[in-house]
Amino acid sequence: MPHVFEVSELTRSVRDVIESEFPFVWVRGQVVNLSRPGSGHLYFSLRDAEASLAVVWFRGAQGGKALAGGGRYDPLTGEVYETSLAESLADGMEVMVAGRLTVYAPRGTYQLVAELVQEVGEGRLWQEFEALKKDLAAKGYFDQGRKRTLPRHPTRVAVVTAPTGAAVRDFIRIGRERGHGAAVRVYPTLVQGDAAPVGIVRAMLRAVADDWAEVVVLIRGGGSLEDLWAFNTVEVAKAIFASPLPVVTGVGHEVDVTIADMVADVRAATPSHAAQLLWPERAMLAQRLDDVEMAMGRAASRLLAARERELAVLARGLAWLSPARRLERLEAGLASAAGRLSRAGEGWLGGLSRGLEQTAGRLSRRFGPQSLEARREALSRRAAALENAWKMFEADREHRLALAAARLAGLDPKAPLARGYSLTTLARTGKFLRRAGDARPGDKLDIMVYEGRVRAEVVPDDGAPPSGETA
């Protein structure tokens, strides 16, 4: 959904756009519907063949205040005006109005707030002004690169102006307040009229020829474009451009910008402003002095702090390298090592003690009275078992021995001897006589009986029983 404006909101927005896009304009037209209310402000419209523009010319912008004896004067520069266009302005006049566009919120219309109103006859001068400005700009008269910086607190100032005008009085007054003993030398000249350009150029040449001043100031009070025309001439522009000294201009009001202002090194809005540019206010100087003093104090503090830090670093380094510090470090290292050794010994002893306690516990659990009693009972049981086993083993062995003895007895060759058998060996061979044919007559026989031996000799078998021989 698009944004819906309130009336006042939209009016403010339009006003902001108009005031930013048209901060200062010149408009030419015919005066119609002129109104002079009791407030002193003037309201009229500028009209041409196709359009109309509302204009308000406030009283404060109508060329100064009224004098008691007649005429008007500028409260800023003191310039006296014999007549004011505001007084003679009338419907039907062709004028050029300089000012700023704005929006009058109560009626929702835009209007021109006039700062300066001139008769159209001056428009021709304005065209000449634009042509000269274009020509000098092409020749580099306005280049910012050639602008020179004003000397700080100049003590010798040449002022080119009318010697009896309010502009020079205001300039000198401000110079006395701010100049701190600066000298001002006035080079009088006409500042209005046909002879003014030549006079201004001569005054500037004198100021340069004297070789006294540090800066040249060209000032004049406010006036119409025609009144200020001397400062829009090529002669004055060339004199400023050729000046070996820096030139400050303060011509007319703030809205008056002349060719001289564009060529000068520095343009002041008014004559008083020219003096203010040359000499700053004492309070500002005092404030600046205070700023410098505080800056120096801060710099000194930073410098001292930096030196203190460096000194502290060097002191720590020196202390670190000193023999006493070295001994202290060694003592500290020794104490630390002793502490570690003590803690290690205590730890080792503690561990050993805990190990012993654990071993004692294990021994107690393993070899304590209860353990010994249990072991004794176990040992008794094992001894009884061993004894039983031994008895069984012994009985088994005795049984097996008896069996073996019986088998051995069965295998004993002499056992049959008890039953009347005998063993006969040949004496000559020592072998058992197993067959009768193995014996020959005359062989000696060794006969083993159950108890003892019998010797015999083989005799021929003649059917007679052999005679025995006993050993």
Side-chain angles (χ1 to χ4, degrees):
M1 181 177 179
H3 177 68
V4 177
F5 286 91
E6 297 290 340
V7 174
S8 58
E9 180 186 4
L10 181 58
T11 301
R12 284 196 300 270
S13 301
V14 172
R15 183 180 60 191
D16 292 341
V17 172
I18 290 178
E19 290 182 351
S20 62
E21 292 295 326
F22 302 96
F24 193 80
V25 296
W26 282 90
V27 183
R28 176 179 176 175
Q30 185 180 23
V31 177
V32 295
N33 301 325
L34 177 63
S35 176
R36 296 178 181 273
S39 61
H41 307 321
L42 296 181
Y43 302 92
F44 57 95
S45 296
L46 282 179
R47 187 179 65 183
D48 59 11
E50 299 179 352
S52 178
L53 172 65
V55 179
V56 56
W57 193 7
F58 291 116
R59 183 178 179 182
Q62 293 174 5
K65 297 182 178 180
L67 293 171
R72 306 186 70 83
Y73 75 100
D74 190 313
L76 181 63
T77 64
E79 183 181 6
V80 177
Y81 301 93
E82 294 182 356
T83 60
S84 171
L85 182 60
E87 298 176 355
S88 58
L89 191 67
D91 287 342
M93 291 180 64
E94 291 284 333
V95 295
M96 292 184 64
V97 181
R100 53 187 174 83
L101 283 179
T102 185
V103 172
Y104 184 58
R107 287 201 293 267
T109 58
Y110 79 97
Q111 62 184 10
L112 177 63
V113 179
E115 299 287 345
L116 182 65
V117 180
Q118 297 176 344
E119 293 188 63
V120 142
E122 295 176 348
R124 178 182 53 79
L125 295 177
W126 183 256
Q127 294 176 357
E128 294 178 6
F129 172 86
E130 290 294 329
L132 180 59
K133 185 175 72 172
K134 184 177 180 181
D135 179 59
L136 295 180
K139 295 178 180 178
Y141 275 54
F142 308 149
D143 290 348
Q144 291 298 319
R146 56 165 292 276
K147 304 285 186 179
R148 290 163 293 191
T149 305
L150 297 181
R152 299 183 62 183
H153 309 292
T155 56
R156 300 183 301 278
V157 178
V159 179
V160 176
T161 188
T164 58
V168 69
R169 291 197 299 271
D170 288 342
F171 184 90
I172 292 175
R173 177 178 54 81
I174 295 177
R176 286 173 180 168
E177 294 174 354
R178 301 188 178 194
H180 304 289
V184 175
R185 183 177 293 181
V186 177
Y187 291 82
T189 179
L190 295 174
V191 293
Q192 181 176 342
D194 296 338
V198 176
I200 293 171
V201 172
R202 287 178 179 173
M204 292 189 63
L205 292 176
R206 287 198 305 272
V208 172
D210 287 347
D211 194 19
W212 171 83
E214 301 172 59
V215 59
V216 174
V217 179
L218 182 58
I219 57 175
R220 187 201 184 282
S224 64
L225 179 62
E226 187 176 10
D227 295 338
L228 304 178
W229 193 249
F231 298 90
N232 292 322
T233 59
V234 67
E235 295 88 349
V236 174
K238 288 183 177 179
I240 296 174
F241 185 77
S243 173
L245 296 175
V247 177
V248 180
T249 57
V251 178
H253 300 159
E254 185 172 359
V255 296
D256 299 325
V257 180
T258 65
I259 294 295
D261 292 326
M262 300 179 187
V263 181
D265 295 284
V266 176
R267 183 246 172 184
T270 63
S272 299
H273 186 218
Q276 293 170 357
L277 291 178
L278 289 177
W279 301 294
E281 194 174 0
R282 292 186 179 182
M284 295 180 61
L285 289 176
Q287 182 179 1
R288 186 173 181 181
L289 184 60
D290 290 340
D291 292 340
V292 172
E293 181 182 359
M294 289 187 289
M296 292 178 63
R298 290 191 294 270
S301 298
R302 289 194 296 271
L303 180 62
L304 288 175
R307 295 295 181 267
E308 288 177 354
R309 288 193 295 271
E310 293 177 2
L311 183 60
V313 171
L314 294 175
R316 287 196 296 271
L318 183 60
W320 183 261
L321 297 175
S322 68
R325 179 63 180 166
R326 182 177 176 81
L327 287 176
E328 292 177 357
R329 292 198 303 273
L330 291 175
E331 290 178 355
L334 182 59
S336 177
R340 292 195 300 272
L341 181 60
S342 176
R343 290 190 294 274
E346 293 175 355
W348 181 78
L349 289 175
L352 182 60
S353 176
R354 289 190 295 274
L356 289 175
E357 292 176 355
Q358 293 172 358
T359 303
R362 288 195 299 270
L363 291 174
S364 175
R365 289 190 297 273
R366 189 166 184 177
F367 302 105
Q370 295 179 352
S371 177
L372 292 176
E373 183 63 27
R375 287 175 178 276
R376 186 165 48 251
E377 293 177 355
L379 183 60
S380 299
R381 289 193 297 272
R382 290 182 180 180
L386 182 61
E387 184 177 1
N388 293 332
W390 175 256
K391 290 179 178 178
M392 293 174 65
F393 175 78
E394 188 176 28
D396 179 69
R397 287 296 182 268
E398 287 178 352
H399 176 71
R400 294 176 63 180
L401 180 60
L403 292 177
R407 284 196 299 273
L408 184 60
L411 296 176
D412 187 2
K414 294 180 179 179
L417 298 179
R419 294 192 302 270
Y421 295 95
S422 63
L423 293 175
T424 305
T425 61
L426 290 172
R428 57 180 173 83
T429 63
K431 293 181 179 179
F432 289 104
L433 183 62
R434 300 180 184 273
R435 290 178 301 267
D438 291 339
R440 291 172 310 193
D443 286 340
K444 302 296 182 180
L445 297 179
D446 189 2
I447 302 170
M448 180 182 304
V449 297
Y450 178 71
E451 291 181 350
R453 292 175 178 270
V454 177
R455 300 269 184 192
E457 183 176 345
V458 180
V459 299
D461 186 10
D462 53 1
S467 61
E469 184 182 9
T470 62

